[in-house]
Amino acid sequence: MRILSIFLFSLILISCEDALRSPGKPLMQFDFNNEIVNKGMGKLDIEGDAMVSYYYGEKDTCLDLMASAKYRKPIIINYQDDFSFEDYDGYTVSVWIQKARNDNESYSVLSQQTYLDGKWLGWELRAENCGSWSWVYRDSIQTWKYQPTSLRQPVNDGNWHQLTYSYNKNSQEARLYYDGENVAVYSLFGNTFSIKSVPLRVGVSPASASENIDIFNGRIDNLAVWSRTLESEEVHTVYRLKEKKKFKRPVSGDVFKVLTWNIWQGAIHEGKRVGAERILDVLQSSEADLIMLQEMAGEGPYLADGLGFYLYQRNKDLGVLSRYPLEEANNVFRVHNSGCIKVDLGADQKVFACPISLTEEPRLDSYIKSGNADVDTIIYRENEFRGREITFILGELRHLMFTNKNTPMILGGGFNSGSHLDWTERNQDLHMGLVVEYPVTKQVEKAGFTDTYRSSHPDEVVDKGYTWSTKFKSAFPNRTDFIYSFGEDIHIEESYVLDDHQVSFPSSHAAVVTVFNLEKK
């Protein structure tokens, strides 16, 4: 009797927990139980709701577009009363799909797209020929795409999977969920697309030349749209209410490892897939918990899935891979230079991860190697480009630093600049007799950040820490990639350079690794 009481009490606790995190009634809700009727709050016009095939599952029915279905056609949903998502701060779309097992074709599952000036603009959720899925967002200028791997996120395995996409207009970011888990955060900073009065299409893209050919080969259920950005916990709840699965969130100990690395155009120079595989080898062997990458060349989804990590994509070249869940992101300066996202390490520990990629200009290697370089000229040229960029970045980070004093901040990236802690009088014999107070690193230090490598290795003559270049032996050796930390409760255990692979190191830059301790001292 006691065991039964404990079991019932546990069920009540779970039910109460889900109720507290329930996202409430959506604007649009279709359960496809032998009818296509909106059970949400919005007023809709529906095309294609007659002559529909349904599949009878264990509990109820779903929309059946499989090869065995008699009627295979798309559903088009129009909003009434001049409704527009532009009147809201965000929206969330969630759908369950079951793609035909081992079908290797690509299909549009859900989309809101409009044709303008010769281009299809809008968003789309797709089931891809690789066996996984994708999210695509296009405005008149840019295209953003997230396409994970089928190893971690399959949809053609014959099982049901929940795909969810949310957009936050204020932060201009998209969050992508697979089976209730927030697997990726994409910055859409500067996007110009408006989805006012654009119909929602189910089963085929409006760009299709033949709906009969391109219709999704699978089943669709529990389609819902909210006129706000759901929190991650709310998306978890929607998933759990159907699957009854609870997530196991990773929790960090006091010690965690951070890596930053410029992976040189996704290591394409090593081979189309070989380069990315070698990058993954290095990342896996490093056992890093938080990874900040530059020059990703769109390889973020592949690397994140290979590690089983969460992905923050600031743009196709700059991002963060994290063992731990991602919270709010911040638009810091320009998308190709910097970003910032809060990472939840568990046990009430959080950190800000800020990937950095400063411009390669000016390229001063040849000038310095000439033997005729002037220190004032070097500093002037550095300030023209990289110095100006870091000024803006630090200026925008300062508010976060001092309004979140209990949350440490980590900067990691390719600064393309030497360090004033290396180019010293003691070390001038290695630097063509030059002593340079590099303005980028001086500014970062002045803002209160600690150079983790140089803090761990204070003798710049003995421990050079070169990260440039592992490939170009004619390049002037330099330490241009850094991890910086800020905060009272983040302590540096060790830091080192990583430039080894069992076959061929795949980048022109070495990686930097720092081990931190968050234990309060």
Side-chain angles (χ1 to χ4, degrees):
M1 186 68 180
R2 183 183 178 191
I3 294 174
L4 177 61
S5 299
I6 293 172
F7 174 72
L8 291 173
F9 181 66
S10 299
L11 285 179
I12 292 170
L13 284 178
I14 292 172
S15 299
C16 290
E17 182 183 357
D18 283 338
L20 288 171
R21 294 173 177 173
S22 174
K25 198 173 184 68
L27 175 75
M28 179 194 304
Q29 184 175 22
F30 292 92
D31 56 21
F32 300 110
N33 288 336
N34 289 311
E35 60 181 1
I36 300 182
V37 174
N38 181 30
K39 298 182 179 179
M41 298 184 295
K43 294 182 179 181
L44 307 173
D45 283 327
I46 302 171
E47 302 175 35
D49 54 340
M51 309 296 284
V52 175
S53 292
Y54 298 97
Y55 177 77
Y56 292 82
E58 294 180 3
K59 295 181 179 179
D60 52 30
T61 65
C62 61
L63 178 64
D64 191 2
L65 301 174
M66 287 276 198
S68 57
K70 182 176 180 180
Y71 303 107
R72 301 183 67 243
K73 58 182 182 177
I75 307 296
I76 302 172
I77 303 169
N78 296 283
Y79 300 99
Q80 292 184 0
D81 300 332
D82 198 32
F83 175 85
S84 173
F85 280 114
E86 296 303 305
D87 298 330
Y88 298 87
D89 290 334
Y91 57 88
T92 304
V93 180
S94 180
V95 66
W96 286 80
I97 71 168
Q98 182 188 45
K99 189 181 182 184
R101 185 185 295 272
N102 298 323
D103 183 332
N104 292 321
E105 298 293 336
S106 293
Y107 302 99
S108 175
V109 177
L110 283 181
S111 66
Q112 276 189 286
Q113 295 176 300
T114 186
Y115 193 70
L116 183 66
D117 296 331
K119 298 179 181 178
W120 283 101
L121 313 180
W123 65 265
E124 187 175 20
L125 290 176
R126 299 181 57 83
E128 295 290 1
N129 57 9
C130 65
S132 187
W133 65 286
S134 72
W135 160 85
V136 184
Y137 190 101
R138 300 182 183 90
D139 68 6
S140 58
I141 301 172
Q142 302 179 75
T143 297
W144 294 262
K145 184 173 184 179
Y146 173 68
Q147 183 172 320
T149 67
S150 59
L151 291 176
R152 185 186 180 199
Q153 301 184 51
V155 296
N156 71 339
D157 56 359
N159 297 320
W160 281 97
H161 295 285
Q162 183 202 45
L163 306 180
T164 304
Y165 148 57
S166 71
Y167 175 67
N168 187 313
K169 186 167 69 173
N170 293 327
S171 60
Q172 291 189 288
E173 73 176 26
R175 288 184 177 254
L176 293 315
Y177 298 79
Y178 174 81
D179 286 347
E181 191 74 21
N182 183 197
V183 287
V185 181
Y186 269 58
S187 173
L188 303 183
F189 188 71
N191 84 85
T192 60
F193 176 63
S194 168
I195 59 172
K196 181 177 181 179
S197 303
V198 178
L200 178 66
R201 286 181 171 257
V202 182
V204 76
S205 166
S208 170
S210 172
E211 292 182 351
N212 291 337
I213 294 174
D214 296 330
I215 189 94
F216 174 56
N217 182 20
R219 300 183 179 112
I220 295 174
D221 204 1
N222 294 101
L223 167 61
V225 178
W226 290 264
S227 54
R228 66 182 181 88
T229 308
L230 297 191
E231 299 292 333
S232 293
E233 291 300 327
E234 293 176 302
V235 178
H236 293 340
T237 298
V238 173
Y239 177 76
R240 283 176 58 188
L241 288 173
K242 184 174 176 67
E243 284 295 298
K244 307 302 181 186
K245 292 181 180 178
K246 194 158 186 173
F247 292 101
K248 294 181 179 179
R249 307 299 292 272
V251 178
S252 170
D254 290 325
V255 175
F256 74 107
K257 187 181 292 187
V258 177
L259 178 148
T260 189
W261 192 14
N262 180 319
I263 60 174
W264 191 28
Q265 299 175 2
I268 189 66
H269 309 281
E270 300 281 303
K272 288 182 180 179
R273 182 48 54 194
V274 171
E277 288 179 356
R278 288 177 179 172
I279 293 292
L280 186 58
D281 289 342
V282 175
L283 296 179
Q284 288 173 329
S285 65
S286 76
E287 297 183 335
D289 302 300
L290 189 62
I291 298 166
M292 289 178 263
L293 298 179
Q294 308 85 50
E295 290 196 38
M296 295 167 71
E299 294 290 353
Y302 169 78
L303 296 173
D305 275 6
L307 294 164
F309 279 20
Y310 302 92
L311 170 66
Y312 166 54
Q313 191 86 56
R314 180 63 166 147
N315 77 348
K316 68 180 180 64
D317 286 321
L318 185 65
V320 174
L321 311 179
S322 172
R323 189 184 305 276
Y324 305 104
L326 304 174
E327 296 194 346
E328 67 267 22
N330 295 272
N331 293 315
V332 177
F333 194 44
R334 297 186 296 224
V335 295
H336 59 275
N337 287 129
S338 55
C340 184
I341 193 161
K342 187 180 285 187
V343 181
D344 182 3
L345 302 177
D348 295 323
Q349 293 181 322
K350 302 178 190 293
V351 296
F352 284 110
C354 306
I356 304 292
S357 181
L358 302 186
T359 183
E360 294 179 351
E361 301 296 335
R363 300 171 187 263
L364 298 176
D365 276 22
S366 297
Y367 177 61
I368 291 172
K369 288 170 65 178
S370 71
N372 299 314
D374 175 73
V375 171
D376 290 339
T377 301
I378 293 172
I379 292 175
Y380 177 82
R381 295 298 310 282
E382 288 284 337
N383 271 321
E384 271 190 312
F385 296 91
R386 291 182 280 268
R388 181 175 178 273
E389 289 173 348
I390 201 66
T391 297
F392 282 107
I393 291 168
L394 292 171
E396 294 187 23
L397 287 176
R398 193 164 286 116
H399 173 74
L400 284 175
M401 293 162 62
F402 292 104
T403 55
N404 297 269
K405 290 186 177 181
N406 295 324
T407 304
M409 181 176 287
I410 301 169
L411 309 186
F415 288 69
N416 287 307
S417 164
S419 171
H420 68 287
L421 298 178
D422 300 344
W423 290 62
T424 62
E425 285 189 22
R426 292 181 65 240
N427 215 12
Q428 60 183 319
D429 288 346
L430 292 175
H431 297 135
M432 307 297 292
L434 300 172
V435 178
V436 184
E437 294 276 282
Y438 276 96
V440 167
T441 57
K442 287 283 289 185
Q443 283 194 65
V444 178
E445 182 181 74
K446 187 177 180 181
F449 287 89
T450 299
D451 178 337
T452 61
Y453 180 84
R454 193 51 69 209
S455 174
S456 186
H457 305 278
D459 191 332
E460 73 275 23
V461 178
V462 175
D463 298 306
K464 303 173 181 62
Y466 293 148
T467 59
W468 176 255
S469 165
T470 61
K471 294 286 187 183
F472 306 120
K473 301 307 179 183
S474 61
F476 196 88
N478 207 352
R479 188 169 70 99
T480 62
D481 303 82
F482 306 97
I483 295 175
Y484 287 96
S485 62
F486 174 87
E488 294 181 0
D489 297 323
I490 186 167
H491 311 285
I492 302 159
E493 294 284 315
E494 63 173 320
S495 187
Y496 54 90
V497 171
L498 182 60
D499 59 1
D500 182 58
H501 183 273
Q502 59 267 34
V503 178
S504 172
F505 192 74
S507 177
S508 56
H509 288 252
V512 181
V513 180
T514 299
V515 180
F516 290 103
N517 192 322
L518 289 174
E519 185 179 6
K520 293 186 178 181
K521 298 182 179 181

